[in-house]
Amino acid sequence: MVVLVAEDHDFQRRTLVRMLKTLGAKEVLEAKDGLEALTILKQSGPVDLLICDLDMEQMDGMELIRNIGQADSVGADSVEPGSVGAVIVLSGHERSLLDTVAKMARAYGVKLLGAIDKPLTLDRLRNVLDVHGQQVAAAEPWHQFSVGEILDGLRLGQFDAFFQPKVSLSTGQVAGAEALARWHHPEFGLVGPIAFVPPLEQAGEIEELTFAMLGQAAAACRQWAELKSGISVSVNISPTSLDDPGLAERIAAVTSAAGLDPRQMILEFTETAAIGNTGVTLENLVRLRMRGFGLSIDDYGTGFASLQQLQLAPFSELKIDRSFVTGWADNPSSRAIVETSVQMARQLGFRSVGEGVETEADWNMLKDAGCDMAQGYFIARPMAQAQFLTFLMQETGLT
Ligand code: C2E
Ligand code: CA
Ligand code: CA
């Protein structure tokens, strides 16, 4: 792994370099500000990771992020798209500001792994790298796979659905689980969706993954239902799949082949401006709903769905994005967003789910807001199917 560090404070930069070497970085390049970082990127080629301070003289972290982002690839200073695999920012500023920086990075098309509060410690650095590394191959997390390699892996059966429980906030009982795709790569170990979902979506090949996950999720839920009646399984569907007029029928066929009642399956669509805006997408949504499938709006609050779209499309669940949940219990504006979303969901007749519940404080905030369900590391991380079955058996008192 090649890392570039941009930090104007000499001592802090040296400390960071030492920590990265301790954590096993192969090569660490150093820059005193954004300008020097860009020069290095142009001269020595792509890096896997950029760690940059937000406040630097000459060119600060934000300008640097803009210049490595794809959105501004015509700027005089900008480098080739793809020169930087991912970015971590360092800052002494408050969290709400870092959150805006994260949004900004996303808008510039830059993959932000996280922010580290100063003072920098080995633990903090390890944590940010771990959040990423835990789910993704530890050896080479930023390897770029070609669509061909991904499809080969799929056809060889190397992809598994992992399951993360969704729990009722009032009873603490498991209500269902979300299927999250994982690739058991023969060389790189366990690889997470960020490495294969976007390339498949861009190539128009996401359906092969979608249907593999639907099949596994339906079969798994069928099995869980014997332990717990009414349990549901959620599957992520790319919004572009809704453009296919045959989608609803194909999903129904997979579910019925597994012997699962469609009412036990929830389909999650990320909130985008496109949802329910064309005839075909609406037809698919209505067909799915008529057959009994649950329809969920994922990552609510990050997209641009209008209230009218929410009201007109036949959704049954609203998942509040984790950027409003994780670590925000003490923040009045974030609480207000959560409360408003929960109330709106209730008035529209949807169930509400809070994502990214990492602590008891996150859990309590959702509970106080009247949210129906919670999902997150505080309850459990996504786990392999066999492990989820054990989890469920423990919960239902069968072991
Ligand atoms: P998502 O649908 O929002 O899924 C939740 C993501 O948040 C998962 O990441 C999960 O591991 C992570 N997560 C859960 N609890 C916590 C928490 O408490 N804190 C934090 N920081 N994160 C938490 P994962 O598995 O890496 O998936 C990332 C995204 O990839 C998913 O986001 C979903 O949009 C997409 N994805 C996953 N599987 C599929 C799939 O089969 N098809 C499609 N189209 N997309 C998928
Ligand atoms: Ca989801
Ligand atoms: Ca989500």
Side-chain angles (χ1 to χ4, degrees), residues 103-363:
K103 284 210 186 87
M104 179 204 81
R106 226 182 291 150
Y108 282 135
V110 171
K111 187 162 105 197
L112 192 79
L113 290 189
I116 301 178
D117 294 332
K118 287 186 170 180
L120 180 69
T121 62
L122 189 60
D123 268 352
R124 285 188 178 160
L125 179 60
R126 195 185 280 128
N127 276 343
V128 172
L129 290 170
D130 266 3
V131 167
H132 189 67
Q134 189 128 42
Q135 320 257 325
V136 186
E140 187 116 270
W142 297 290
H143 183 81
Q144 297 216 338
F145 297 101
S146 72
V147 174
E149 287 173 308
I150 302 170
L151 291 175
D152 285 346
L154 262 167
R155 285 161 198 165
L156 289 168
Q158 292 169 352
F159 283 71
D160 268 342
F162 269 42
F163 297 98
Q164 186 179 34
K166 215 168 85 182
V167 166
S168 155
L169 275 151
S170 56
T171 66
Q173 294 261 319
V174 178
E178 174 174 4
L180 295 158
R182 296 288 182 271
W183 183 2
H184 297 278
H185 195 282
E187 195 181 331
F188 298 113
L190 201 60
V191 175
I194 187 83
F196 52 81
V197 168
L200 285 178
E201 282 181 337
Q202 275 151 30
E205 301 277 5
I206 190 73
E207 303 257 295
E208 199 151 333
L209 175 72
T210 306
F211 279 86
M213 291 302 114
L214 280 166
Q216 290 187 24
C221 188
R222 177 76 213 274
Q223 197 181 7
W224 309 334
E226 281 162 29
L227 292 173
K228 188 157 199 162
S229 68
I231 191 164
S232 65
V233 71
S234 302
V235 179
N236 292 286
I237 313 284
S238 296
T240 51
S241 301
L242 285 168
D243 295 336
D244 164 14
L247 182 80
E249 294 311 315
R250 285 167 63 212
I251 293 181
V254 174
T255 314
S256 91
L260 187 74
D261 183 341
R263 280 172 300 189
Q264 285 174 270
M265 181 170 280
I266 301 172
L267 306 167
E268 297 190 0
F269 299 91
T270 44
E271 183 202 13
T272 67
I275 282 283
N277 247 0
T278 67
V280 180
T281 57
L282 272 179
E283 181 180 337
N284 269 317
L285 292 171
V286 171
R287 259 183 217 289
L288 288 165
R289 198 75 194 104
M290 278 165 58
R291 288 188 176 264
F293 289 96
L295 301 180
S296 178
I297 301 165
D298 204 357
D299 303 343
Y300 180 69
T302 61
F304 301 96
S306 70
L307 291 175
Q308 194 190 23
Q309 275 168 277
L310 296 186
Q311 189 206 352
L312 289 181
F315 289 103
S316 53
E317 183 185 272
L318 190 80
K319 290 186 94 167
I320 303 165
D321 190 69
R322 66 167 186 260
S323 58
F324 304 108
V325 177
T326 315
W328 284 108
D330 297 329
N331 181 292
S333 65
S334 177
R335 285 189 88 105
I337 292 174
V338 170
E339 279 163 16
T340 312
S341 308
V342 167
Q343 279 163 18
M344 186 192 71
R346 178 158 316 134
Q347 276 158 12
L348 292 170
F350 303 171
R351 275 207 282 198
S352 48
V353 183
E355 295 189 295
V357 180
E358 291 188 2
T359 62
E360 193 171 356
D362 297 342
W363 171 281

Side-chain angles (χ1 to χ4, degrees), residues 84-98:
V84 174
V87 176
I88 292 175
V89 294
L90 298 173
S91 159
H93 293 288
E94 69 268 34
R95 219 172 131 171
S96 60
L97 206 118
L98 286 180

